[in-house]
Amino acid sequence: MQDFVAIKGVDIELYDFMIGERKRQREGIELIPSENYVSSAVLEAMGSILTNKYSEGYPGKRYYGGQEYIDRVENLARQRAKELFGAEHVNVQPYSGSPANIAVMFGLLSYGDTIMGMRLDQGGHLTHGLGVNFSGKSYNVVSYGVRRDNGRIDMDEVRQIALQHRPKLVISGATAYPRLFDFEAFKTIADEVGAIAMADISHISGLVVAGVHPSPLPFTDVVTTTTHKTLRGPRSAIIMCKEQYAKDIDRAVFPGLQGGPHDHTTAAKAIAFKEAMKPEFKDYARQIVANAKALADELLACGFDLVSGGTDNHLVLVDLTHKGVIGKDAETALDKAGLTVNKNSVPYDTRSPFSPSGIRLGTPAATTRGMKEPEMRRVARWIERAISHPSDDARLAAIHDEVREMCAGFPVPGIG
Ligand SMILES: *Cc1c(COP(=O)(O)O)cnc(C)c1O
């Protein structure tokens, strides 16, 4: 278990916060779909002496000396990512998912070009063209969403929008979409209008490498992913692309946007890729999906409305409108019950993005702890009990006691 002895010695104030967070992670169930628990090996790399090094440039072409081992670390990470995803070219230097997406646009587009992505309030990401984001300020944005009647992306509508606006970049991928993406259909549409096809698989890359979600590779031109969500690596990202875009992407990352890569994170990514190649990881990914289905089915049985009626992946989007509770109050009540979720807009939400009507749930972190379908059904019933009386603190505390007891049987890597 991480005991933070050195930190305790220099900074007792911060130490207390870290102990508190460790306890929170151990005694609650993490249901935010973008979060996970990394392995002890990944944790070790992130807290290692590799953080001491500067290595601007790429392996063999650096602007600093002493790269004998760092070049090997980065080449190993690149090689493993290529193999894991079946990619032609990989850049492992992006600091996180948002900078990775910005690098793609910065490298392949001119300011003012038209891009097409999924609307944020229907499941897309900030960097897919939201007005206040770099992407929305620098490019002309057209968006697609989901159908009102079934909560699913309508590929005929996507094609119509693309034909009408002829974007230079077509982005597929989402942060809050519980169904499968038809990456092949997106590529066909991009080809039809002469656009570059980009897939942002941040949420689902762990499912993709395990074969439980169709892969956008090798046919999609550019694929970005964070490494810390279902892929269960360090807080970071990578960009994969066809060879013809490699130079522009690499130049956009460095020197276009970033300085020195975070070598300790690169090492942690290499480890995570190796872990994701193991047969156990396939079992893990299959269990994530089985757990999400069990959670969804039990929530439906408890009378909850789910966007699109269920899930094909790792997440469930709950529309609380008919329960008479807003997302924020549900999030707060569930926090008190030891169940960590986030409030989220639902498609065609009548409330504002700051106080939306839904909550988003996911199973990657709980599955890492070894929880399976019976535990997910318990989670759904706890959610029902908490949300039916969101201001009853005694009831919420009683649920947290039960949650804590169950969690004791499912240790967290690095915490116990
Ligand atoms: C999480 C996410 C990102 C951004 O990742 P950060 O590391 O938080 O910047 C980008 N795109 C999608 C689809 C995501 O889910």
Side-chain angles (χ1 to χ4, degrees):
M1 174 164 72
Q2 291 199 316
D3 49 14
F4 314 125
V5 178
I7 295 172
K8 190 178 184 184
V10 296
D11 191 341
I12 193 72
E13 203 181 353
L14 186 84
Y15 171 78
D16 283 345
F17 300 155
M18 292 185 70
I19 293 296
E21 174 61 11
R22 188 180 70 187
K23 184 171 152 68
R24 192 195 67 81
Q25 289 192 16
R26 183 204 278 136
E27 297 184 356
I29 300 176
E30 187 51 73
L31 295 165
I32 294 174
S34 48
E35 294 188 19
N36 213 330
Y37 302 109
V38 298
S39 70
S40 298
V42 168
L43 277 179
E44 197 168 282
M46 288 303 278
S48 75
I49 48 106
L50 296 194
T51 196
N52 298 338
K53 192 70 197 97
Y54 238 107
S55 56
E56 280 182 0
Y58 289 101
K61 290 167 287 189
R62 304 283 193 186
Y63 292 83
Y64 292 79
Q67 307 296 344
E68 193 181 349
Y69 298 103
I70 296 302
D71 275 5
R72 291 188 223 176
V73 168
E74 186 166 338
N75 280 329
L76 190 63
R78 275 174 163 180
Q79 199 45 48
R80 284 182 183 162
K82 274 191 193 177
E83 203 181 307
L84 181 62
F85 287 93
E88 283 183 27
H89 178 79
V90 182
N91 187 307
V92 296
Q93 294 195 1
Y95 297 143
S96 211
S98 302
N101 287 349
I102 291 170
V104 173
M105 295 172 204
F106 186 57
L108 304 182
L109 304 175
S110 303
Y111 294 125
D113 280 354
T114 299
I115 63 171
M116 182 168 93
M118 193 173 190
R119 298 169 56 122
L120 177 80
D121 60 4
Q122 299 198 3
H125 190 259
L126 301 166
T127 54
H128 299 180
L130 186 71
V132 297
N133 185 262
F134 167 88
S135 54
K137 286 193 184 292
S138 312
Y139 306 102
N140 175 42
V141 178
V142 293
S143 306
Y144 59 89
V146 296
R147 283 174 62 123
R148 195 185 272 271
D149 59 351
N150 63 10
R152 293 173 188 249
I153 296 168
D154 178 343
M155 292 311 297
D156 291 331
E157 192 203 50
V158 173
R159 179 166 175 269
Q160 284 314 318
I161 297 169
L163 286 171
Q164 189 187 339
H165 299 280
R166 310 202 71 89
K168 287 260 174 67
L169 183 72
V170 171
I171 309 170
S172 53
T175 65
Y177 186 61
R179 297 297 178 177
L180 304 182
F181 261 87
D182 187 346
F183 293 120
E184 256 176 303
F186 273 97
K187 169 64 174 162
T188 304
I189 291 167
D191 283 349
E192 198 178 346
V193 300
I196 296 170
M198 166 179 166
D200 175 354
I201 58 170
S202 291
H203 260 260
I204 54 169
S205 53
L207 307 183
V208 166
V209 300
V212 300
H213 188 297
S215 175
L217 292 134
F219 52 84
T220 304
D221 301 299
V222 185
V223 179
T224 59
T225 181
T226 50
T227 48
H228 49 275
K229 298 178 184 174
T230 49
L231 199 54
R232 209 164 60 183
R235 198 55 160 263
S236 199
I238 59 173
I239 303 171
M240 297 170 274
C241 64
K242 291 185 179 168
E243 205 54 58
Q244 72 183 105
Y245 301 108
K247 247 191 171 150
D248 288 335
I249 294 284
D250 285 351
R251 266 202 224 112
V253 173
F254 176 86
L257 278 171
Q258 299 188 171
H262 296 176
D263 299 316
H264 57 304
T265 311
T266 307
K269 283 186 248 194
I271 294 165
F273 299 150
K274 183 163 187 181
E275 289 172 347
M277 286 173 189
K278 293 188 179 155
E280 301 92 276
F281 195 86
K282 284 198 170 57
D283 298 337
Y284 166 62
R286 273 194 286 269
Q287 191 64 49
I288 290 176
V289 176
N291 281 353
K293 280 200 187 345
L295 183 65
D297 288 347
E298 193 69 16
L299 286 166
L300 288 168
C302 291
F304 284 97
D305 290 331
L306 306 185
V307 172
S308 84
T311 181
D312 294 325
N313 59 20
H314 64 300
L315 73 83
V316 179
L317 197 52
V318 186
D319 184 343
L320 295 169
T321 308
H322 297 116
K323 288 279 182 184
V325 182
I326 62 170
K328 180 159 84 52
D329 292 346
E331 180 188 299
T332 305
L334 291 169
D335 250 339
K336 290 179 186 167
L339 302 165
T340 313
V341 310
N342 69 280
K343 60 176 184 285
N344 212 96
S345 290
V346 296
Y348 305 97
D349 208 321
T350 49
R351 299 183 54 84
S352 88
F354 304 103
S355 181
S357 301
I359 52 171
R360 192 180 64 149
L361 310 170
T363 55
T367 307
T368 292
R369 294 182 83 154
M371 293 180 186
K372 294 206 160 72
E373 290 90 333
E375 286 77 31
M376 293 304 108
R377 289 191 281 269
R378 273 191 92 179
V379 166
R381 292 192 297 269
W382 279 323
I383 290 173
E384 156 64 12
R385 264 169 68 194
I387 286 181
S388 60
H389 295 85
S391 334
D392 184 344
D393 282 356
R395 186 188 183 97
L396 299 173
I399 296 171
H400 200 171
D401 285 342
E402 291 176 38
V403 167
R404 202 176 281 119
E405 195 187 327
M406 189 176 97
C407 284
F410 297 94
V412 177
I415 300 182

